[in-house]
């Protein structure tokens, strides 16, 4: 072989071969999937309730089936907790709080939080695959976002556990007692971490009820908690429908604090039912976030931010940027680039590492998305969906955008909780603020412009709990998150996330 001859299989030779093959008619280059193995997950046939440090069969003797939304195949049978089971879990949490946890030094509580965080890291692949199986989200999101952030929250609040006096100088922080924590199906594991980590760091015990369609990673977390030797009863995990099991849990007289993430409708019901009870309540509810693109924005960067803002997690995100406001002078360009970008998104097998958009979590949510999209068409908006083949089984919806949207359209006002983007235009910053704030929600917003002064001017006027600048959907355990208006109240994350779990009214230390 001469020195100028390319080595066998070298890059240059491979390129020439491919060019030659492409020139031949009839040659087909098939997509090669990169599927994560589900074998790493050791699914049980049945999951019981985790109460007082033990796995207990429900006194109701009832179970429900949890499924894989991408295939509609059953994954496991899960215990359905009745009122007696809820009472048992709350009493176990109350006894653990009084006997051990509330008086345990912060540095000791921190050790348990640290153990949980390390276990999440060590078993991250298992958690990621299980999350994808039960939720339907792409494995690359479970792997790169959900599980690492869940571990990060436990690490972060482990650091606060022995520093509460410094967090609230001049006040005497004391734990409240038993916290009832009700989490949603869109980020099952991450929402468990958002709620459990600050509750435990501040000296409270918890009864956690995950969403009935996605209970499996919460139950796997219970295994981790058991293996971390957390004192029995400090964390209890019960499963069942929100209307019954969740309602009994929130109303239990021994519960001191209720933390709920979910729909605005259920949040309103909870607030009415707990009025006058003396219970602390935090609500993280729905949203209809505005993503605002000015003519001087870095357009290509903004396109990626828009895609991340609405198509991440199939749009099943409370802070999803489902309303796009584009300055008129660049609207045509932005829409053209968005349509081109949508055509590259891969919809399909959530366990494929190349998948961008996975399955909708449940049939009811898919029906809601379909109904709102039909309303957009009927009200005169123009729909665009890229051509893509959807699997025959499971709950699927193509990435969708609407143009010629009016502020009065339902798709511009109601939370869709799916991969659907409504595009509107504006001329001036004042008009952008007015339109963006014209919603019953107030959770998040994004602003894209090269002018820092404009970002600050806009952020001061936006009625949103979180405003991102030249990015979207960025989260960190040290940063507080929460909303205004019908997006709820209270904050999770950061030092602010400690306060809802503390009695700070005891005066000076």
């Amino acid at each position: 072989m001469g020195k100028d001859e390319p080595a066998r299989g070298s890059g240059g030779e491979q390129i020439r071969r491919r060019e030659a093959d492409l020139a031949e008619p009839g040659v087909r280059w098939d997509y090669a999937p990169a599927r994560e193995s589900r074998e790493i997950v050791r699914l049980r046939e049945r999951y019981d309730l985790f109460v007082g440090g033990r796995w207990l069969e429900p006194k109701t003797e009832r179970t429900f089936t949890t499924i894989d939304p991408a295939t509609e195949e059953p994954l496991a049978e899960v215990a359905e907790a009745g009122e007696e089971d809820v009472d048992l879990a709350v009493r176990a949490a109350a006894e653990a709080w009084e006997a051990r946890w509330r008086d345990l030094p912060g540095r000791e509580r921190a050790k348990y939080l640290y153990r949980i965080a390390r276990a999440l890291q060590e078993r991250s692949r298992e958690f990621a695959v299980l999350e994808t199986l039960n939720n339907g989200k792409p494995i690359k999101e479970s792997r790169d976002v959900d599980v690492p952030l869940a571990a990060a929250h436990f690490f972060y609040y482990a650091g606060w556990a022995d520093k509460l006096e410094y967090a609230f100088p001049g006040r005497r922080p004391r734990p409240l007692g038993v916290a009832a924590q009700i989490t949603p199906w869109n980020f099952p594991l991450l929402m468990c971490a958002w709620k459990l980590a600050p509750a435990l760091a501040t000296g409270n015990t918890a009864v956690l009820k995950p969403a009935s369609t996605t209970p499996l990673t919460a139950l796997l977390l219970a295994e981790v908690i058991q293996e971390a030797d957390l004192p029995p009863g400090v964390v209890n995990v019960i499963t069942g429908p929100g209307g019954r099991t969740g309602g009994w849990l929130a109303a239990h007289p021994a519960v001191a604090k209720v933390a709920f993430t979910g729909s605005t409708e259920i949040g309103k019901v909870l607030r009415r039912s707990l009025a006058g009870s003396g219970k602390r309540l935090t609500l993280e509810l729905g949203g209809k976030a505005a993503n605002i693109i000015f003519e001087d924005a870095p357009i290509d960067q903004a396109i990626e931010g828009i895609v991340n803002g609405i198509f991440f997690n199939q749009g099943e995100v409370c802070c999803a940027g489902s309303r796009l406001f584009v300055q008129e002078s660049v609207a045509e360009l932005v829409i053209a680039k968005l349509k081109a970008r949508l055509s590259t998104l891969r919809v399909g097998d959530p366990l494929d590492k190349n998948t961008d958009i996975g399955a909708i979590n449940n049939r009811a949510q898919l029906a809601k998305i379909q109904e709102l999209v039909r309303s957009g068409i009927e009200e005169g908006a123009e729909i665009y969906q890229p051509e893509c083949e959807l699997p025959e089984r499971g709950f699927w919806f193509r990435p969708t955008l609407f143009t010629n949207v009016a502020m009065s359209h339902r798709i511009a006002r109601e939370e869709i909780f799916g991969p659907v983007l409504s595009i509107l235009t504006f001329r001036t910053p004042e008009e952008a603020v007015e339109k963006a704030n014209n919603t019953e929600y107030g959770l998040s917003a994004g602003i894209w412009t090269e002018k820092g002064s404009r970002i600050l001017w806009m952020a001061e006027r936006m009625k949103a709990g979180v405003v991102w600048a030249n990015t979207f959907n960025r989260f960190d355990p040290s940063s507080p998150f929460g909303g205004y208006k019908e997006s709820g109240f209270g904050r999770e994350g950061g030092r602010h996330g400690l306060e809802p779990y503390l009695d700070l009214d005891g005066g000076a230390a």
Side-chain angles (χ1 to χ4, degrees):
M1 182 175 68
K3 65 178 182 179
D4 295 327
E5 184 179 346
R8 182 176 179 83
S10 70
E13 183 182 359
Q14 290 172 356
I15 291 171
R16 284 192 291 276
R17 281 184 196 160
R18 186 165 187 266
E19 289 174 344
D21 289 342
L22 287 173
E24 297 177 15
V27 172
R28 178 178 173 183
W29 288 82
D30 287 329
Y31 169 73
R35 198 169 193 271
E36 173 64 274
S37 172
R38 61 176 288 173
E39 300 306 316
I40 191 171
V41 175
R42 299 182 297 275
L43 279 170
R44 303 182 190 179
E45 290 185 7
R46 171 183 168 134
Y47 290 83
D48 288 323
L49 309 173
F50 183 68
V51 175
R54 297 181 298 157
W55 296 96
L56 303 178
E57 294 184 5
K59 296 187 180 298
T60 62
E61 299 183 354
R62 290 197 297 268
T63 63
F64 61 93
T65 304
T66 188
I67 70 168
D68 178 348
T71 63
E72 300 179 65
E73 295 176 356
L75 293 173
E77 292 296 308
V78 181
E80 181 179 323
E83 192 168 9
E84 193 175 350
D85 299 303
V86 172
D87 178 65
L88 188 65
V90 174
R91 285 194 288 109
E95 290 168 7
W97 184 68
E98 293 175 0
R100 178 84 186 274
W101 196 250
R102 69 176 176 185
D103 297 321
L104 195 67
R107 64 181 179 276
E108 296 301 320
R109 295 198 301 271
K111 292 177 183 178
Y112 289 107
L113 288 166
Y114 186 84
R115 283 182 200 168
I116 295 169
R118 289 290 294 130
L120 281 170
Q121 289 183 324
E122 291 163 2
R123 300 176 68 174
S124 61
R125 187 178 171 204
E126 181 183 1
F127 271 100
V129 172
L130 186 59
E131 191 81 320
T132 286
L133 282 174
N134 205 193
N135 173 272
K137 66 177 64 189
I139 185 65
K140 65 183 179 183
E141 294 179 6
S142 300
R143 178 196 65 199
D144 299 341
V145 179
D146 295 48
V147 178
L149 266 179
H153 271 79
F154 280 104
F155 277 127
Y156 176 77
Y157 281 108
W160 270 119
D162 63 347
K163 304 176 185 66
L164 299 179
E165 292 80 7
Y166 300 98
F168 306 99
R171 307 176 77 178
R172 187 170 56 200
R174 296 175 296 181
L176 299 173
V178 178
Q181 303 184 316
I182 303 171
T183 56
W185 48 257
N186 58 334
F187 290 96
L189 176 66
L190 183 55
M191 292 300 100
C192 290
W194 275 33
K195 287 175 169 48
L196 284 175
L200 300 183
T202 49
N204 298 277
T205 55
V207 180
L208 175 73
K209 195 212 82 70
S212 56
T213 62
T214 54
L216 295 185
T217 46
L219 293 165
L220 183 58
L221 181 60
E223 289 184 23
V224 164
I225 286 168
Q226 189 177 37
E227 292 167 4
D229 292 326
L230 202 68
V234 171
V235 173
N236 307 271
V237 181
I238 58 174
T239 46
R244 293 197 298 273
T245 307
W248 291 323
L249 176 58
H252 196 287
V255 165
K257 164 77 170 74
V258 177
F260 172 79
T261 296
S263 72
T264 295
E265 293 74 23
I266 300 302
K268 289 178 178 179
V269 171
L270 264 178
R271 191 172 187 180
R272 286 194 296 267
S273 68
L274 297 182
S277 68
K279 290 180 170 66
R280 294 278 191 91
L281 175 65
T282 51
L283 299 172
E284 198 265 281
L285 307 175
K288 194 69 178 173
N291 226 339
I292 303 170
I293 314 297
F294 284 92
E295 62 187 0
D296 66 341
I299 298 297
D300 290 332
Q301 179 183 336
I303 294 299
E304 293 307 306
I306 295 163
V307 169
N308 177 55
I310 185 57
F311 300 119
F312 173 71
N313 201 42
Q314 297 75 251
E316 296 168 338
V317 185
C318 52
C319 56
S322 56
R323 294 182 301 155
L324 177 62
F325 294 95
V326 189
Q327 200 156 21
E328 281 187 0
S329 57
V330 292
E332 186 175 338
L333 173 64
V334 168
I335 292 170
K337 284 180 174 286
L338 266 177
K339 288 181 177 179
R341 183 67 177 89
L342 259 63
S343 68
T344 69
L345 296 178
R346 187 172 296 279
V347 183
D349 183 1
L351 283 176
D352 187 340
K353 298 167 189 174
N354 299 309
T355 293
D356 299 301
I357 298 179
I360 302 302
N361 178 253
N362 56 79
R363 189 181 301 277
Q365 183 58 34
L366 177 61
K368 178 184 176 183
I369 295 167
Q370 292 169 334
E371 193 272 328
L372 281 168
V373 167
R374 283 194 298 270
S375 78
I377 297 170
E378 292 167 359
E379 291 179 335
E382 294 184 12
I383 188 173
Y384 172 79
Q385 293 177 317
E387 293 184 9
C388 59
E389 187 175 336
L390 299 181
E392 293 182 1
R393 297 190 63 188
F395 312 131
W396 305 93
F397 201 84
R398 291 179 176 84
T400 301
L401 64 82
F402 279 100
T403 54
N404 292 334
V405 178
M407 290 291 293
S408 59
H409 288 172
R410 288 180 62 198
I411 55 172
R413 304 197 67 82
E414 298 182 26
E415 184 179 40
I416 298 177
F417 223 60
V420 181
L421 178 66
S422 297
I423 303 178
L424 304 97
T425 61
F426 68 92
R427 293 181 179 178
T428 66
E430 291 79 7
E431 183 185 0
V433 169
E434 181 182 359
K435 286 184 172 181
N437 286 340
N438 186 9
T439 174
E440 63 190 17
Y441 298 107
L443 189 55
S444 61
I447 301 168
W448 298 80
T449 175
E450 68 172 10
K451 295 181 180 178
S453 58
R454 179 180 287 156
I455 291 170
L456 294 173
W457 186 92
M458 293 283 292
E460 288 175 352
R461 290 159 177 79
M462 298 292 293
K463 295 177 181 176
V466 177
V467 179
W468 286 292
N470 292 325
T471 189
F472 207 92
N473 273 343
R474 295 289 182 180
F475 298 96
D476 188 274
S478 63
S479 180
F481 181 85
Y484 297 101
K485 299 189 285 186
E486 293 199 3
S487 289
F489 54 83
R491 295 293 181 265
E492 293 182 302
R495 183 187 65 83
H496 302 74
L498 299 166
E499 192 165 352
Y501 291 97
L502 291 169
D503 176 8
L504 297 172
D505 299 326

